[in-house]
Amino acid sequence: MARRGPGTLLLVVGPSGAGKDTLLDIARARFGTDGRVLFARRIVTRPAGAGEAHGTLDADAFEALRVQGCFALAWRAHGLSYALGPEVGEKIAAGGVVVANGSRATLPEARERFARVRVVQVTAPVAVRAQRLAARGRERADDIAERLSRTPDVDVAPDLLIENVGSPAEGGASLCSFIAAELAALA
């Protein structure tokens, strides 16, 4: 199968609580009206209103769509199923940049499916992540401890590493600069 291009799939990855959604919100505010950029809305087998704005499917409907090949990319993490919809492939085929909250575990599949994949890894110390996860109020303490213990391998070094310990504006500026550079590279 030919890899999709000429546009870019820009995956923002990192451990739970690193601040990916906060940085994505900042970038969305900066590029949300730029027609060359799509901020992918993930589809998740989690009830609506549980954190990020996401599309919701039950497990059976999700699996049926996955088997039919309806998703640009799909993965499992934290006991849930996640996917990026077909609009992702369409934007990339049109030469745009798709920015998505992704998973480190799905990078090999993303690189097989898309010709131009860029990875932004967001990190933060465990103590900072623990505090952020607790503040979300979505999980029990033992679930948070389990999330903090995971360290999936990343198959290659990220294109950008953001140590997200300063202000959200600092990390957001780094992500925005990276997106702007990617747009310039595609022009």
Side-chain angles (χ1 to χ4, degrees):
M1 174 168 111
R3 295 185 308 158
R4 301 235 20 205
T8 300
L9 175 60
L10 194 158
L11 291 172
V12 178
V13 303
S16 296
K20 299 179 298 290
D21 288 326
T22 299
L23 301 186
L24 284 165
D25 287 345
I26 291 168
R28 188 178 294 107
R30 162 69 175 83
F31 292 100
T33 59
D34 187 326
R36 301 171 297 167
V37 180
L38 170 69
F39 286 87
R41 186 172 181 206
R42 296 192 302 182
I43 300 161
V44 186
T45 56
R46 172 174 51 215
E52 70 174 297
H54 62 274
T56 301
L57 287 174
D58 67 38
D60 292 336
F62 185 100
E63 184 59 18
L65 290 171
R66 189 194 66 76
V67 168
Q68 294 170 29
C70 295
F71 299 134
L73 196 60
W75 66 95
R76 287 201 41 83
H78 315 299
L80 301 169
S81 296
Y82 297 81
L84 302 178
E87 69 280 2
V88 167
E90 294 163 7
K91 180 59 85 174
I92 289 170
V97 174
V98 174
V99 182
N101 184 340
S103 169
R104 294 164 286 181
T106 196
L107 292 177
E109 182 179 352
R111 292 185 189 288
E112 287 178 16
R113 290 180 176 229
F114 300 99
R116 190 172 176 93
V117 176
R118 298 291 181 259
V119 178
V120 174
Q121 185 173 0
V122 180
T123 66
V126 172
V128 171
R129 293 176 27 230
Q131 184 178 31
R132 290 174 181 167
L133 290 170
R136 288 194 316 200
R138 285 196 322 225
E139 300 166 299
R140 298 183 326 249
D142 57 332
D143 292 329
I144 290 172
E146 196 273 327
R147 274 185 187 259
L148 292 171
S149 71
R150 289 189 208 130
T151 313
D153 291 330
V154 177
D155 67 333
V156 295
D159 298 291
L160 173 65
L161 177 65
I162 298 174
E163 182 74 24
N164 194 21
V165 293
S167 72
E170 290 172 307
S174 293
L175 179 57
C176 287
S177 292
F178 192 79
I179 294 169
E182 194 58 32
L183 285 168
L186 291 173

